[in-house]
Short mmCIF file of all heavy atoms in Angstrom, two decimals:
data_model
loop_
_atom_site.label_atom_id
_atom_site.label_comp_id
_atom_site.label_asym_id
_atom_site.label_seq_id
_atom_site.Cartn_x
_atom_site.Cartn_y
_atom_site.Cartn_z
N VAL A 9 2.75 -0.37 3.54
CA VAL A 9 2.05 1.03 3.36
C VAL A 9 0.53 0.67 3.74
O VAL A 9 -0.11 -0.17 3.28
CB VAL A 9 2.16 1.44 2.01
CG1 VAL A 9 1.70 2.88 1.83
CG2 VAL A 9 3.64 1.36 1.49
N TRP A 10 0.02 1.64 4.57
CA TRP A 10 -1.32 1.47 5.06
C TRP A 10 -2.16 2.77 5.09
O TRP A 10 -1.68 3.81 5.52
CB TRP A 10 -1.28 0.81 6.40
CG TRP A 10 -2.64 0.60 7.04
CD1 TRP A 10 -3.64 -0.14 6.44
CD2 TRP A 10 -3.13 1.10 8.24
NE1 TRP A 10 -4.78 -0.14 7.28
CE2 TRP A 10 -4.43 0.61 8.44
CE3 TRP A 10 -2.60 1.82 9.30
CZ2 TRP A 10 -5.24 0.87 9.61
CZ3 TRP A 10 -3.38 2.11 10.41
CH2 TRP A 10 -4.65 1.64 10.53
N GLY A 11 -3.33 2.68 4.57
CA GLY A 11 -4.38 3.79 4.69
C GLY A 11 -5.67 3.22 5.16
O GLY A 11 -6.00 2.19 4.66
N GLU A 12 -6.36 3.85 6.05
CA GLU A 12 -7.56 3.30 6.67
C GLU A 12 -8.76 3.52 5.85
O GLU A 12 -9.49 2.60 5.56
CB GLU A 12 -7.70 3.94 8.05
CG GLU A 12 -8.97 3.44 8.72
CD GLU A 12 -8.76 2.13 9.39
OE1 GLU A 12 -7.70 1.57 9.19
OE2 GLU A 12 -9.73 1.54 9.95
N SER A 13 -9.08 4.77 5.28
CA SER A 13 -10.25 4.97 4.52
C SER A 13 -10.10 4.39 3.16
O SER A 13 -8.98 3.95 2.68
CB SER A 13 -10.52 6.49 4.48
OG SER A 13 -9.51 7.08 3.70
N VAL A 14 -11.13 4.42 2.35
CA VAL A 14 -11.18 3.94 0.98
C VAL A 14 -10.13 4.66 0.13
O VAL A 14 -9.39 4.02 -0.54
CB VAL A 14 -12.59 4.01 0.38
CG1 VAL A 14 -12.63 3.73 -1.07
CG2 VAL A 14 -13.59 3.17 1.08
N LEU A 15 -10.14 5.98 0.17
CA LEU A 15 -9.28 6.72 -0.65
C LEU A 15 -7.76 6.67 -0.22
O LEU A 15 -6.85 6.55 -0.94
CB LEU A 15 -9.63 8.21 -0.75
CG LEU A 15 -10.88 8.50 -1.76
CD1 LEU A 15 -11.28 10.00 -1.64
CD2 LEU A 15 -10.57 8.08 -3.18
N ALA A 16 -7.64 6.59 1.11
CA ALA A 16 -6.23 6.50 1.66
C ALA A 16 -5.65 5.13 1.31
O ALA A 16 -4.49 4.96 1.04
CB ALA A 16 -6.27 6.72 3.16
N ALA A 17 -6.52 4.12 1.38
CA ALA A 17 -6.05 2.80 1.00
C ALA A 17 -5.67 2.68 -0.50
O ALA A 17 -4.78 2.05 -0.92
CB ALA A 17 -7.25 1.66 1.24
N ARG A 18 -6.47 3.40 -1.26
CA ARG A 18 -6.20 3.46 -2.74
C ARG A 18 -4.89 4.27 -2.94
O ARG A 18 -3.99 3.74 -3.75
CB ARG A 18 -7.31 4.35 -3.44
CG ARG A 18 -7.20 4.38 -4.94
CD ARG A 18 -7.53 3.06 -5.58
NE ARG A 18 -7.03 2.97 -6.93
CZ ARG A 18 -6.66 1.94 -7.55
NH1 ARG A 18 -6.75 0.78 -6.90
NH2 ARG A 18 -6.15 1.90 -8.82
N ALA A 19 -4.59 5.28 -2.20
CA ALA A 19 -3.30 6.03 -2.36
C ALA A 19 -2.19 5.07 -1.85
O ALA A 19 -1.07 5.06 -2.48
CB ALA A 19 -3.35 7.25 -1.46
N SER A 20 -2.42 4.30 -0.86
CA SER A 20 -1.35 3.34 -0.32
C SER A 20 -1.04 2.38 -1.42
O SER A 20 0.22 2.08 -1.57
CB SER A 20 -1.81 2.66 0.95
OG SER A 20 -2.74 1.65 0.66
N ARG A 21 -1.95 1.94 -2.20
CA ARG A 21 -1.55 0.93 -3.22
C ARG A 21 -0.71 1.65 -4.36
O ARG A 21 0.19 1.04 -4.90
CB ARG A 21 -2.80 0.31 -3.75
CG ARG A 21 -3.47 -0.66 -2.90
CD ARG A 21 -4.65 -1.39 -3.53
NE ARG A 21 -5.76 -0.61 -3.71
CZ ARG A 21 -6.76 -0.44 -2.88
NH1 ARG A 21 -6.68 -1.09 -1.74
NH2 ARG A 21 -7.83 0.24 -3.20
N ARG A 22 -1.05 2.82 -4.66
CA ARG A 22 -0.34 3.59 -5.65
C ARG A 22 1.11 3.90 -5.19
O ARG A 22 2.06 3.83 -6.00
CB ARG A 22 -0.99 4.84 -6.07
CG ARG A 22 -2.24 4.62 -6.99
CD ARG A 22 -1.71 4.19 -8.36
NE ARG A 22 -2.85 3.93 -9.26
CZ ARG A 22 -2.99 2.78 -9.89
NH1 ARG A 22 -2.18 1.74 -9.57
NH2 ARG A 22 -3.96 2.51 -10.73
N VAL A 23 1.15 4.23 -3.94
CA VAL A 23 2.60 4.54 -3.39
C VAL A 23 3.39 3.28 -3.26
O VAL A 23 4.59 3.31 -3.66
CB VAL A 23 2.41 5.16 -1.93
CG1 VAL A 23 3.79 5.27 -1.31
CG2 VAL A 23 1.84 6.56 -2.09
N ALA A 24 2.85 2.14 -2.94
CA ALA A 24 3.57 0.87 -2.92
C ALA A 24 4.04 0.55 -4.29
O ALA A 24 5.17 0.01 -4.45
CB ALA A 24 2.67 -0.21 -2.28
N GLU A 25 3.13 0.65 -5.30
CA GLU A 25 3.59 0.43 -6.74
C GLU A 25 4.77 1.28 -7.13
O GLU A 25 5.72 0.78 -7.67
CB GLU A 25 2.44 0.65 -7.62
CG GLU A 25 1.33 -0.28 -7.52
CD GLU A 25 0.17 0.11 -8.40
OE1 GLU A 25 0.21 1.14 -9.19
OE2 GLU A 25 -0.89 -0.53 -8.36
N ALA A 26 4.74 2.57 -6.74
CA ALA A 26 5.89 3.44 -7.06
C ALA A 26 7.12 3.08 -6.33
O ALA A 26 8.25 3.13 -6.98
CB ALA A 26 5.46 4.93 -6.70
N LEU A 27 6.99 2.64 -5.12
CA LEU A 27 8.26 2.18 -4.42
C LEU A 27 8.86 0.92 -5.02
O LEU A 27 10.01 0.79 -5.08
CB LEU A 27 7.84 1.94 -2.92
CG LEU A 27 7.51 3.20 -2.04
CD1 LEU A 27 6.96 2.75 -0.80
CD2 LEU A 27 8.72 4.11 -1.92
N ARG A 28 7.93 0.00 -5.39
CA ARG A 28 8.45 -1.19 -6.05
C ARG A 28 9.21 -0.89 -7.38
O ARG A 28 10.27 -1.48 -7.71
CB ARG A 28 7.32 -2.20 -6.35
CG ARG A 28 6.70 -2.85 -5.08
CD ARG A 28 5.84 -3.99 -5.38
NE ARG A 28 4.77 -3.71 -6.11
CZ ARG A 28 3.54 -3.34 -5.60
NH1 ARG A 28 3.41 -3.33 -4.34
NH2 ARG A 28 2.50 -3.05 -6.42
N GLU A 29 8.56 -0.08 -8.17
CA GLU A 29 9.15 0.33 -9.42
C GLU A 29 10.47 1.16 -9.19
O GLU A 29 11.42 1.03 -10.09
CB GLU A 29 8.16 1.25 -10.18
CG GLU A 29 6.87 0.46 -10.70
CD GLU A 29 5.93 1.46 -11.38
OE1 GLU A 29 6.28 2.64 -11.44
OE2 GLU A 29 4.89 0.94 -11.75
N ALA A 30 10.62 1.89 -8.17
CA ALA A 30 11.77 2.67 -7.96
C ALA A 30 13.01 1.90 -7.57
O ALA A 30 14.14 2.18 -7.87
CB ALA A 30 11.46 3.74 -6.83
N THR A 31 12.76 0.82 -6.78
CA THR A 31 13.90 0.15 -6.14
C THR A 31 13.94 -1.46 -6.57
O THR A 31 14.96 -2.02 -6.34
CB THR A 31 13.88 0.21 -4.61
OG1 THR A 31 12.69 -0.50 -4.19
CG2 THR A 31 13.82 1.67 -4.22
N GLY A 32 12.79 -1.97 -6.91
CA GLY A 32 12.75 -3.44 -7.12
C GLY A 32 12.64 -4.13 -5.88
O GLY A 32 12.55 -5.45 -5.90
N VAL A 33 12.57 -3.53 -4.70
CA VAL A 33 12.36 -4.10 -3.50
C VAL A 33 10.85 -4.32 -3.20
O VAL A 33 10.04 -3.41 -3.48
CB VAL A 33 12.94 -3.25 -2.36
CG1 VAL A 33 12.62 -3.85 -0.93
CG2 VAL A 33 14.50 -3.22 -2.46
N PRO A 34 10.44 -5.38 -2.57
CA PRO A 34 9.01 -5.64 -2.32
C PRO A 34 8.51 -4.49 -1.45
O PRO A 34 9.12 -4.03 -0.45
CB PRO A 34 9.00 -6.93 -1.56
CG PRO A 34 10.19 -7.74 -1.92
CD PRO A 34 11.22 -6.59 -2.16
N ALA A 35 7.28 -4.06 -1.77
CA ALA A 35 6.58 -3.06 -0.97
C ALA A 35 5.06 -3.50 -0.94
O ALA A 35 4.51 -3.73 -2.07
CB ALA A 35 6.73 -1.70 -1.50
N LEU A 36 4.50 -3.54 0.20
CA LEU A 36 3.14 -4.11 0.30
C LEU A 36 2.19 -3.11 0.83
O LEU A 36 2.46 -2.45 1.89
CB LEU A 36 3.20 -5.28 1.31
CG LEU A 36 1.84 -5.96 1.59
CD1 LEU A 36 1.20 -6.56 0.38
CD2 LEU A 36 1.96 -7.00 2.73
N ALA A 37 1.11 -2.83 0.17
CA ALA A 37 -0.02 -2.11 0.64
C ALA A 37 -1.16 -3.04 0.98
O ALA A 37 -1.61 -3.82 0.08
CB ALA A 37 -0.41 -1.05 -0.43
N ALA A 38 -1.61 -2.98 2.15
CA ALA A 38 -2.72 -3.95 2.55
C ALA A 38 -3.46 -3.33 3.76
O ALA A 38 -3.07 -2.38 4.31
CB ALA A 38 -2.15 -5.27 2.89
N GLY A 39 -4.56 -4.01 4.19
CA GLY A 39 -5.36 -3.58 5.29
C GLY A 39 -4.72 -4.04 6.63
O GLY A 39 -3.75 -4.76 6.64
N LYS A 40 -5.31 -3.58 7.68
CA LYS A 40 -4.76 -3.82 9.04
C LYS A 40 -4.62 -5.26 9.30
O LYS A 40 -3.61 -5.77 9.84
CB LYS A 40 -5.58 -3.18 10.09
CG LYS A 40 -5.09 -3.31 11.50
CD LYS A 40 -6.11 -2.78 12.51
CE LYS A 40 -6.35 -1.32 12.38
NZ LYS A 40 -7.28 -0.71 13.36
N LEU A 41 -5.65 -6.07 8.95
CA LEU A 41 -5.64 -7.52 9.23
C LEU A 41 -4.60 -8.30 8.43
O LEU A 41 -4.07 -9.31 8.99
CB LEU A 41 -7.05 -8.16 8.92
CG LEU A 41 -8.23 -7.61 9.82
CD1 LEU A 41 -9.48 -8.30 9.34
CD2 LEU A 41 -7.96 -7.85 11.33
N ALA A 42 -4.24 -7.82 7.34
CA ALA A 42 -3.20 -8.44 6.59
C ALA A 42 -1.75 -8.05 7.01
O ALA A 42 -0.85 -8.84 6.94
CB ALA A 42 -3.31 -8.11 5.07
N LEU A 43 -1.65 -6.80 7.53
CA LEU A 43 -0.36 -6.33 7.92
C LEU A 43 0.04 -6.79 9.40
O LEU A 43 1.22 -7.00 9.71
CB LEU A 43 -0.27 -4.81 7.83
CG LEU A 43 -0.34 -4.18 6.47
CD1 LEU A 43 -0.28 -2.66 6.62
CD2 LEU A 43 0.71 -4.71 5.67
N LEU A 44 -0.99 -6.91 10.22
CA LEU A 44 -0.62 -7.27 11.59
C LEU A 44 0.18 -8.58 11.82
O LEU A 44 1.13 -8.53 12.51
CB LEU A 44 -1.98 -7.50 12.43
CG LEU A 44 -2.53 -6.10 13.05
CD1 LEU A 44 -3.87 -6.39 13.61
CD2 LEU A 44 -1.51 -5.55 14.03
#
């Protein structure tokens, strides 16, 4: 999960947390350099 701006990145972390809680499957929210 990726968001570019400060608030979009903040939302991406919350969405990734919700995905992990929903399924138990790893979900990663990070910046472009970490995801590439």
Side-chain angles (χ1 to χ4, degrees):
V9 193
W10 180 54
E12 179 75 2
S13 69
V14 172
L15 283 175
R18 185 74 197 152
S20 72
R21 288 190 287 272
R22 283 289 178 242
V23 171
E25 289 174 5
L27 292 170
R28 290 194 296 269
E29 292 173 2
T31 64
V33 173
L36 174 65
K40 182 188 297 184
L41 294 179
L43 293 180
L44 274 175

